[in-house]
Amino acid sequence: MRCFGPVASVIKVSDLDEAMHDANDTQFGLSAGICTSSLRSAARFKQESQAGMVMVNAPTAGVDYHVPFGGTKGSSFGPREQGGYARDFYTTVKTAYTQT
């Protein structure tokens, strides 16, 4: 069975190690989020999370238009399509020389 989102999972875990394992133990990686009051846990989650968009104490949907949008693993295809990355998404680079 295949599912095309949005899909949200709320999973209770015993510690940050288990949270990191569960968050990364998937074939998808569009967005991930954590609710915490620990700056250390927030920094570790942002660094180690295998998702294209990572939120701390914020919704995992409705990102700003000026930042790149996209995921990792099975949640990604090609370059990011928002923000400054949009130039790369919609542009083909060509190098040309003329000798006289």
Side-chain angles (χ1 to χ4, degrees), residues 9-96:
S9 295
V10 177
I11 302 168
K12 185 175 180 176
V13 295
S14 60
D15 59 19
L16 185 57
D17 289 330
E18 185 180 357
M20 293 305 311
H21 176 270
D22 287 358
N24 291 331
D25 187 29
T26 178
Q27 60 181 329
F28 302 105
L30 180 60
S31 182
I34 187 174
C35 295
T36 182
S37 59
S38 166
L39 292 176
R40 183 179 304 244
S41 295
R44 179 175 169 203
F45 186 80
K46 289 188 291 185
Q47 180 69 30
E48 296 179 17
S49 181
Q50 297 171 1
M53 299 176 292
V54 179
M55 312 298 190
V56 176
N57 299 333
T60 58
V63 296
D64 295 323
Y65 295 114
H66 68 280
V67 297
F69 176 86
T72 61
K73 305 178 189 180
S75 295
S76 181
F77 179 77
R80 303 297 187 244
E81 63 216 30
Q82 287 180 190
Y85 287 88
R87 286 186 302 273
D88 295 333
F89 184 77
Y90 292 107
T91 303
T92 301
V93 178
K94 181 187 284 186
T95 302

